Amino acid sequence: MLDILKVIILGIVEGITEWLPVSSTGHLILMGSLLQPGLSDAFMEMFNVVIQLGAIMAVVVLYFDKLYPFSKKKSKKQKMLTWQMWIKVAIASVPAAVIGLIFNDYLDAIFYRPLPVAIMLIVYGVLFIIIEEKNKKTEPKVTKISQLTLKMLIWIGVFQMLALIPGTSRSGATIVGALMIGVSRECAAEFTFFLAIPVMFGASFLKLLKFGMAFTFSEFGFLMLGCIISFGVSVLAIKFLMGYIKKHDFKVFGYYRIALGALIIIVSIARMILG
């Protein structure tokens, strides 16, 4: 019963932090360290990735009309724009897909620890604050996904690739990259949501293959519960973020990331001292 409660908490944390640019990995590492579910390390490593499937289904449900190119309600032009959007998503996904396939396990082995995660949280938190201050007096050059050029897509794709380092935050990295080249907050966030679909499905598939699909009945139940919780919470988190950034900038997330990074460092040091 206690492990069920812990899985529910982790699902809530994933649902909130996957879409807010604050690093779901950083939060799951911190919460996993505090909660310490009675499940194997191998299962928890896979669980922390695969419950993202619940989160990504929230994007599919909320943006289905924009994502579905075969809708009878769409004109030929609208269908063409939908296909163009998917082509842009594919282009921007290439850097992370290539590097992830080659180096994902290597990067996890090096960086999937509290201190590197904390450092990346702080670094990107500072970047958010600096970029928002710089953009305060400038108008965005791009307000629609259709306006993104090939050069911009590659730039955003490179920043998404940087998010392979745990603690960076996939949404945080891509939003930072987009803001740097003059993309509006709303457009940056929405394109980040769409970019997550192939990347997160791919990452989850690879983790499931690595784990071997050798679930016990209870492990399968925990995984499904985590996905369902992360889906429901993600719907609320996405709606909140899109409403929030219409009136506010991303600096508050920068400050939060810095505070969280400092907290992870403090908790890690305390655990080392206390043994």
Side-chain angles (χ1 to χ4, degrees):
M1 190 68 181
L2 186 59
D3 280 340
I4 291 176
L5 179 60
K6 291 177 180 179
V7 166
I8 290 173
I9 293 172
L10 291 173
I12 292 171
V13 171
E14 163 62 24
I16 294 172
T17 60
E18 185 59 51
W19 306 113
L20 304 185
V22 294
S23 175
S24 60
T25 301
H27 284 79
L28 290 172
I29 285 178
L30 180 61
M31 293 305 297
S33 177
L34 294 174
L35 295 175
Q36 297 182 335
L39 301 163
S40 70
D41 290 342
F43 175 80
M44 288 310 300
E45 182 183 343
M46 179 274 299
F47 174 88
N48 286 343
V49 174
V50 176
I51 60 170
Q52 294 175 347
L53 289 176
I56 200 59
M57 286 307 299
V59 172
V60 174
V61 170
L62 289 174
Y63 290 94
F64 185 77
D65 288 340
K66 287 190 176 183
L67 295 169
Y68 188 57
F70 302 107
S71 175
K72 294 180 180 178
K73 297 178 182 179
K74 290 184 175 181
S75 65
K76 286 185 177 180
K77 182 179 179 181
Q78 289 173 323
K79 290 179 180 179
M80 181 188 71
L81 288 173
T82 304
W83 281 115
Q84 286 180 354
M85 184 274 294
W86 276 114
I87 291 170
K88 290 181 178 185
V89 166
I91 292 170
S93 298
V94 169
V98 172
I99 300 301
L101 284 171
I102 299 172
F103 297 109
N104 189 53
D105 289 342
Y106 180 72
L107 290 171
D108 277 353
I110 296 175
F111 295 109
Y112 201 90
R113 297 194 302 273
L115 183 57
V117 167
I119 291 172
M120 297 312 296
L121 279 166
I122 293 170
V123 167
Y124 276 82
V126 172
L127 278 176
F128 264 121
I129 296 168
I130 292 173
I131 292 168
E132 285 289 19
E133 280 294 324
K134 181 181 176 183
N135 290 348
K136 189 182 292 185
K137 297 180 180 180
T138 60
E139 289 294 322
K141 294 181 290 185
V142 173
T143 58
K144 298 178 182 178
I145 292 175
S146 59
Q147 296 173 325
L148 292 170
T149 65
L150 178 60
K151 185 177 179 180
M152 290 176 172
L153 293 171
I154 293 172
W155 176 264
I156 294 171
V158 168
F159 266 81
Q160 181 172 242
M161 178 188 71
L162 296 176
L164 291 169
I165 300 174
T168 300
S169 169
R170 193 202 54 79
S171 62
T174 51
I175 289 172
V176 162
L179 291 177
M180 288 177 71
I181 56 176
V183 180
S184 70
R185 297 186 190 100
E186 294 91 337
C187 182
E190 192 171 277
F191 191 62
T192 292
F193 297 158
F194 300 163
L195 268 180
I197 296 173
V199 171
M200 290 165 63
F201 269 114
S204 297
F205 179 70
L206 289 175
K207 284 295 182 183
L208 284 170
L209 283 181
K210 182 180 177 183
F211 187 74
M213 305 294 286
F215 298 106
T216 64
F217 181 78
S218 61
E219 285 176 340
F220 182 77
F222 287 142
L223 187 61
M224 290 299 100
L225 177 61
C227 286
I228 292 168
I229 297 296
S230 69
F231 168 80
V233 176
S234 287
V235 170
L236 299 176
I238 291 169
K239 288 183 176 181
F240 164 77
L241 180 63
M242 295 308 291
Y244 179 86
I245 60 178
K246 288 178 181 178
K247 299 179 180 179
H248 306 87
D249 60 29
F250 282 104
K251 282 193 290 187
V252 66
F253 299 111
Y255 291 121
Y256 178 82
R257 289 177 65 101
I258 294 168
L260 179 63
L263 178 60
I264 291 177
I265 291 172
I266 292 169
V267 170
S268 299
I269 293 173
R271 292 189 69 187
M272 288 174 60
I273 294 173
L274 297 174

